[in-house]
RNA sequence: GGCGGCUUCGCCAAGUGGUAAGGCAACUGAUUGCAAAUCAGUCAUCGGCGGUUCGACUCCGCCAGCCGCCUCCA
């Protein structure tokens, strides 16, 4: 019996048991990105956190409807388009493609649907129209604003009170507004800006309304989980709730999940500060699984600080898993089975069962992937201990069964976290075509043969030279009793 | 100024009212021609001060430091 899933709900600030509105199904909406530039590690953090949550829910048997939006029209996109003298959709579509290629490499599973704001203008106009009709929103000079005093629960997510917002507003008051905290549902087009026709003139949607419109379009007026970065909690998510609930009269998202922000050099990774690490650049020197492992190494809700060498350390950790599978493959294929075994089956099956139990215990407890990983490292250790013995004396038929079972547990649980180690689909850094790979393989085997001859002739300086030279081009040799193996490492990483 | 959060071994980072997972690094030993990998072992009393409690790192209060949001932001 697996533990019930509990999660920390930002809305109630409490730990709650996850009880989907429709048994067996989870409807989940996660704020994607405004596509005006490349993705950075912070975007990856959010995407990977919610991907991990989604994968775990699916692993637990839920059918997950997973919606991630693209904000494909906004000031920054328009600014870029104007700078590049292209249509704004050219810009947004380019960065959407870019987003997919980065996220695919990080093994972020594709959402059920990726709605774009520009393709849901009618839905938004209907919502805005309704709010205006009921005087919850009001038009001003071609814009439309939401009157925050007309929604009693305004501030319930972020713990703010309307009065305080009015008093402490940092922005200069726009005198056209009923109060400074009111936010735009619709923005009238200024000179030459693209726009859509509306009852209030040509314009484009405000930022928040798209999520309200698209979430209800695809998941219903009330759905289970809404996720996003903690920095979106206010005002974005607060405003989503206000619009949606004022419009529909029913609760919007039932559970709100927020991932902690990634800090780099002491402050939030953000384009405006300029301390961003682009995913594309990181992928040049790091295994995508290492990046994923790093991002899952702390609880999703905690802010995470990126330090120099963080990804290198994650890469070393990942190798621990990689080595287990390499070693097992060698062990199981090299030696013919014998009657008597060096491994007692129960030792490994117990270790595997313990790791799996701990995995579920941690993951059920607000998706504690970091804790779950700890258990997987322990299982890796148990496997190594057993394999060390098995290299001296055949594990025997029962031992082989136990070994295989523990390996398959390890690889499938890593898979639930989206880590491809041991699944046969891991992406070695510098992956190349199949033809290249087999050519490299043949060449390296030749070099290993040459080195073996040198070693047998006790010409160790020559043997070392071969090893060093291969290391310089990213081929690392490992001598084992059963022979020499090699692995490709990424070219030396700088950050 | 308002709201929220954080402070655990050299670094990253889980966690619990009953004396602290894991990874990286380091140290000792085994193994190795030497390495690498691996194994065995070593390596923290949880920011400070009070309080509640039989007992707190975990609960409460105060203090200090750091961070996020309040403007676009994963």
């Amino acid at each position: 019996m697996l533990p019930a899933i509990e999660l920390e709900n930002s809305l109630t600030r409490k730990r709650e048991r996850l009880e989907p509105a429709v048994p067996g199904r989870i409807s989940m909406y996660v704020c994607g990105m405004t596509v005006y530039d490349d993705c950075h590690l912070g975007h990856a953090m959010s995407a990977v956190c919610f991907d991990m949550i989604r994968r775990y829910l699916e692993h637990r048997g839920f059918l997950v409807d997973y919606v991630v939006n693209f904000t494909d029209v906004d000031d920054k996109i328009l600014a870029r388009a104007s700078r590049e003298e292209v249509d704004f959709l050219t810009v947004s579509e380019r960065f959407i493609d870019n987003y997919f290629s980065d996220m695919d490499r990080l093994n972020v599973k594709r959402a059920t649907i990726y709605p774009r704001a520009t393709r849901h203008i009618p839905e938004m106009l209907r919502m805005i129209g309704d709010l205006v009709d009921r005087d919850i929103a009001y038009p001003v000079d071609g814009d439309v604003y939401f009157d925050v005093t007309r929604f009693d629960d305004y501030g319930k997510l972020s713990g703010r009170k309307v009065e305080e917002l009015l008093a402490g507003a940092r922005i200069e008051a726009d005198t056209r507004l009923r109060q400074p905290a009111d936010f735009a549902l619709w923005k009238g087009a200024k000179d030459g800006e693209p726009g859509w026709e509306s009852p209030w003139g040509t314009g484009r949607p405000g930022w928040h309304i798209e999520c309200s419109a698209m979430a209800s379009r695809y998941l219903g007026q009330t759905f289970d989980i809404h996720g996003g970065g903690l920095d979106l909690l206010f005002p974005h998510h607060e405003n989503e709730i206000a619009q949606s609930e004022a419009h529909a009269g029913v609760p919007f998202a039932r559970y709100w999940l927020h991932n902690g922000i990634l800090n780099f050099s002491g402050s939030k990774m953000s384009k405006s500060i300029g301390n961003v690490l682009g995913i594309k650049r990181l992928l040049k020197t790091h295994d995508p699984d290492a990046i994923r492992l790093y991002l899952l190494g702390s609880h999703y809700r905690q802010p995470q600080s990126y330090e120099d060498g963080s990804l290198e350390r994650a890469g070393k950790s990942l190798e621990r898993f990689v080595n287990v599978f390499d070693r097992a493959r060698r062990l199981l294929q090299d030696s013919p089975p014998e009657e008597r075994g060096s491994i007692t089956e129960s030792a490994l099956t117990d270790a595997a069962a313990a790791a799996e139990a701990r995995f579920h215990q941690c993951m059920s407890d607000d998706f504690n992937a970091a804790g779950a990983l700890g258990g997987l490292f322990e299982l890796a250790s148990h496997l190594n201990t057993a394999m060390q013995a098995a290299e001296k004396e055949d594990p025997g038929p029962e031992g082989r069964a136990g070994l295989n079972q523990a390996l398959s547990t390890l690889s499938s649980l890593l898979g639930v976290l989206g880590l491809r180690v041991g699944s046969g689909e891991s992406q070695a850094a510098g992956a190349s075509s199949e033809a290249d790979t087999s050519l490299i393989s043949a060449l390296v085997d030749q070099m290993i043969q040459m080195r073996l001859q040198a070693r047998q002739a006790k010409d160790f300086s020559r043997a070392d030279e071969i090893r060093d030279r291969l290391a310089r081009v990213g081929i690392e040799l490992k001598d084992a009793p059963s022979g020499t193996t090699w692995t490709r490492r990424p070219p030396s990483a700088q950050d």
Side-chain angles (χ1 to χ4, degrees), chain A residues 1-4 56 59-60 296-297 321 349-382 409-410 413-414 416-417:
Chain A
M1 186 64 186
L2 295 175
Y56 184 66
H59 180 67
R60 291 290 298 262
L296 294 175
F321 290 127
T349 48
D350 286 356
E356 184 156 19
R358 177 169 163 186
F359 184 86
H360 283 294
Q361 190 189 323
C362 289
M363 292 298 282
S364 302
D365 185 11
D366 199 28
F367 311 106
N368 181 2
L373 271 168
L376 299 186
F377 278 111
E378 287 181 342
L379 177 56
S381 277
H382 281 111
T409 299
L410 182 59
L413 295 181
L414 285 167
V416 173
L417 297 178

Side-chain angles (χ1 to χ4, degrees), chain A residues 72-73 116-131 185-186 200 204-214 247:
Chain A
D72 60 347
V73 58
R116 289 156 166 79
T118 56
R119 299 187 189 171
H120 298 79
I121 303 292
E123 289 92 327
M124 295 188 235
L125 287 176
R126 273 198 293 279
M127 272 186 80
I128 298 170
D130 170 68
L131 292 170
L185 297 175
W186 187 258
W200 314 281
R204 63 179 187 275
W207 175 33
H208 319 294
I209 193 73
E210 64 176 86
C211 288
S212 290
M214 298 191 291
H247 169 66

Side-chain angles (χ1 to χ4, degrees), chain A residues 206-228:
Chain A
W207 175 33
H208 319 294
I209 193 73
E210 64 176 86
C211 288
S212 290
M214 298 191 291
S216 64
R217 157 83 189 269
Y218 295 104
L219 300 174
Q221 291 184 321
T222 299
F223 57 96
D224 295 315
I225 297 176
H226 189 129

Side-chain angles (χ1 to χ4, degrees), chain A residues 287 289 322 420-428 431:
Chain A
D287 186 313
D289 270 0
V322 173
R420 289 155 288 193
V421 197
S423 68
E425 54 165 324
S426 63
Q427 289 203 0

